Amino acid sequence: MKTQVAIIGGGPSGLLLSLLLQKAGIDSVVLERQTKEHVLGRIRAGVLEQGLVGLMRDVGVADRLDKEGILHDGTVLSYGEDRLRIDFREHTGTPVVVYGQTEVTRDLYDARDRLGMDTVFEVEDVTLHDLDSDAPSVSFTKGGDTVRIDCDFVAGCDGFHGVSRKSIPASVLREYERVYPFGWLGILSETPPIHEELIYANSDRGFALCSMRNPMLSRYYVQCSLSDKVEDWSDEAFWDELKRRIPSVDAANLVTGPSIEKSIAPLRSYVCEPMRWGRLFLCGDAAHIVPPTGAKGLNSAAADVHYLNEALRDHYLNGSDAGIDSYSARALARVWKVERFSWWMTSLLHRFPDQNDFDLKMQQAELAFLRESDAARSALATNYVGLPY
Ligand code: APR
Ligand code: PHB
């Protein structure tokens, strides 16, 4: 096969990039290891920055988002019984949109189907070749056939466990990582949300988050130990623990019910540099991971896709490689700020096994400063709604 851009990975990064390139008349092929149903079966976060919403609108995929997405002008942080509202609208003039990542991915696939853009699913043995030449290619097997795609560029949108990042020589790649000593136990329940905005709770028993998908679908998380197993947690145990971690005024509003999804996710901060090697460009989870406390995973992937789209448009439409040559530096500059915010929110709102009294006092002082300082709340709001591209 032959294409201009071979995109490895049919998650939100790869799909959004393919649609933005298609809009500029740039051809691409998307290779996905799993089936479409498997990709759409993943339960992930659901808070969208205006930057991502704007990109969805650019590729004509915002109709359902506009109808079903919930605008949030703020969020609540709690510490024990104390509640502090962060007003995004007051500090930034910008809301966020609550709309599940699964729905974003579904909308992107539907748009590709409408445009007759084929995705090659269930590919195996994906291998990247000659990335440091001007004639790279990608090979894969499917149904026993071996296929080679000749291309100009490869976009590695294959997530943390993908093949793309591993194609960058170890002598070139630098990795930065912080693994947190706890996980998030999350459930999805067909119950009305506890509050009209998200509640991020720090409590003596650990972190909790009250989120939502729609007026009859709620998403809740509690910090748990990494040795915990999902089967250790009955629904009842989950609801009891959640009630103990949020202000009693909110616990009184909690509507419980059977969980329709329950899973434990580890927390990690990870960045690799560079995000470009030869003709290979990494986007999203292939290059960086954030703990979910800042709701930045999908949004920072979208920023990468924005920069790469601009760079490739510049190459194909203007004959300039300025964008290509600055892609890695430009993307990483924003990624590190997003990593800092996500690490800061995680450090502020969780209880660490080795935390001592001084550490706790630091959390309390940080929260007191947030309560007293307009500038501190504004800084949080600015990062939460999304830094400019
Ligand atoms: N070949 C083809 N596809 C692959 C390969 C491979 N070798 N390895 C992985 N993939 C596919 C995965 O099956 C997955 O569908 O690449 C896709 C990567 O998608 P995501 O992991 O969703 O990553 P990304 O598109 O960058 O989206 C980032 O996803 O995990 C969340 O929090 C994260 O919200 C962020 C978003
Ligand atoms: C979610 O709705 O799943 C969610 C929201 C905000 C976060 C993390 C997850 O910070």
Side-chain angles (χ1 to χ4, degrees):
M1 293 166 75
K2 188 165 179 39
T3 187
Q4 291 173 297
V5 184
I7 300 177
I8 319 297
S13 297
L15 301 172
L16 183 58
L17 178 64
S18 72
L19 287 163
L20 287 164
L21 293 177
Q22 194 269 350
K23 189 177 175 207
I26 301 168
D27 185 57
S28 67
V29 168
V30 173
L31 302 179
E32 169 52 51
R33 175 165 59 186
Q34 305 287 355
T35 62
K36 187 176 180 183
E37 294 62 40
H38 179 97
V39 173
L40 290 173
R42 293 184 186 123
I43 301 290
R44 296 250 175 93
V47 175
L48 313 186
E49 296 175 354
Q50 289 304 323
L52 172 53
V53 173
L55 293 174
M56 298 271 287
R57 205 174 300 294
D58 287 352
V59 292
V61 185
D63 294 357
R64 202 161 70 98
L65 166 63
D66 288 338
K67 261 197 246 70
E68 299 172 16
I70 314 166
L71 289 185
H72 278 200
D73 288 337
T75 192
V76 173
L77 301 188
S78 70
Y79 182 77
E81 287 296 316
D82 297 343
R83 295 166 105 254
L84 169 65
R85 181 168 183 271
I86 306 293
D87 188 325
F88 304 147
R89 186 75 74 164
E90 176 202 338
H91 291 292
T92 70
T94 308
V96 293
V97 182
V98 171
Y99 186 70
Q101 175 172 325
T102 313
E103 306 317 314
V104 168
T105 309
R106 190 186 310 283
D107 294 341
L108 294 168
Y109 270 118
D110 292 349
R112 285 177 53 82
D113 294 348
R114 281 196 302 275
L115 293 162
M117 297 168 75
D118 290 336
T119 306
V120 189
F121 288 103
E122 299 179 273
V123 296
E124 294 169 274
D125 313 315
V126 171
T127 309
L128 284 51
H129 308 276
D130 307 319
L131 295 169
D132 55 353
S133 78
D134 57 13
S137 63
V138 175
S139 63
F140 64 91
T141 60
K142 181 174 169 72
D145 295 334
T146 299
V147 181
R148 195 187 78 232
I149 305 178
D150 294 328
C151 54
D152 302 329
F153 300 103
V154 180
C157 301
D158 46 355
F160 188 73
H161 304 287
V163 65
S164 298
R165 184 180 67 255
K166 299 178 185 118
S167 306
I168 299 180
S171 59
V172 173
L173 197 69
R174 280 214 58 190
E175 300 182 285
Y176 305 81
E177 185 171 45
R178 168 67 49 86
V179 175
Y180 298 90
F182 39 72
W184 275 17
L185 168 67
I187 72 165
L188 201 58
S189 61
E190 292 173 327
T191 53
I194 192 173
H195 183 59
E196 74 261 10
E197 292 178 335
L198 274 58
I199 301 175
Y200 288 89
N202 179 334
S203 79
D204 292 345
R205 302 177 64 87
F207 171 82
L209 169 62
C210 305
S211 182
M212 62 201 71
R213 293 290 176 272
N214 64 48
M216 268 316 288
L217 190 60
S218 296
R219 180 75 164 151
Y220 297 100
Y221 301 92
V222 295
Q223 171 186 348
C224 65
S225 130
L226 284 173
S227 58
D228 281 5
K229 299 271 173 298
V230 168
E231 47 275 18
D232 302 339
W233 284 86
S234 66
D235 286 357
E236 198 188 354
F238 178 91
W239 293 121
D240 286 350
E241 188 57 39
L242 177 65
K243 281 181 198 158
R244 292 188 173 141
R245 297 188 184 189
I246 57 181
S248 46
V249 61
D250 297 299
N253 297 331
L254 182 64
V255 177
T256 64
S259 63
I260 59 172
E261 190 274 349
K262 191 187 291 179
S263 55
I264 293 179
L267 271 67
R268 153 207 334 250
S269 296
Y270 171 89
V271 178
C272 82
E273 297 182 350
M275 285 176 60
R276 181 240 178 149
W277 189 67
R279 294 295 182 101
L280 170 65
F281 300 83
L282 301 181
C283 289
D285 280 20
H288 46 80
I289 301 284
V290 286
T293 328
K296 292 297 174 214
L298 177 61
N299 293 301
S300 58
D304 296 344
V305 166
H306 167 74
Y307 296 137
L308 185 54
N309 173 53
E310 287 206 329
L312 293 170
R313 286 172 66 101
D314 208 18
H315 173 83
Y316 285 111
L317 307 186
N318 311 328
S320 157
D321 285 351
I324 281 178
D325 295 340
S326 64
Y327 168 74
S328 183
R330 208 174 165 209
L332 283 167
R334 190 179 190 279
V335 163
W336 277 114
K337 294 182 197 111
V338 167
E339 288 286 343
R340 183 214 62 86
F341 176 66
S342 304
W343 159 83
W344 176 75
M345 285 282 277
T346 303
S347 309
L348 178 66
L349 297 168
H350 289 76
R351 295 302 169 96
F352 290 70
D354 60 355
Q355 190 167 351
N356 62 27
D357 294 350
F358 181 81
D359 300 324
L360 186 58
K361 284 291 183 186
M362 286 301 99
Q363 281 187 344
Q364 292 166 349
E366 188 90 53
L367 288 160
F369 182 58
L370 271 168
R371 182 175 296 286
E372 294 148 17
S373 159
D374 209 46
R377 290 192 301 281
S378 177
L380 195 161
T382 302
N383 280 281
Y384 196 96
V385 302
L387 301 172
Y389 288 171

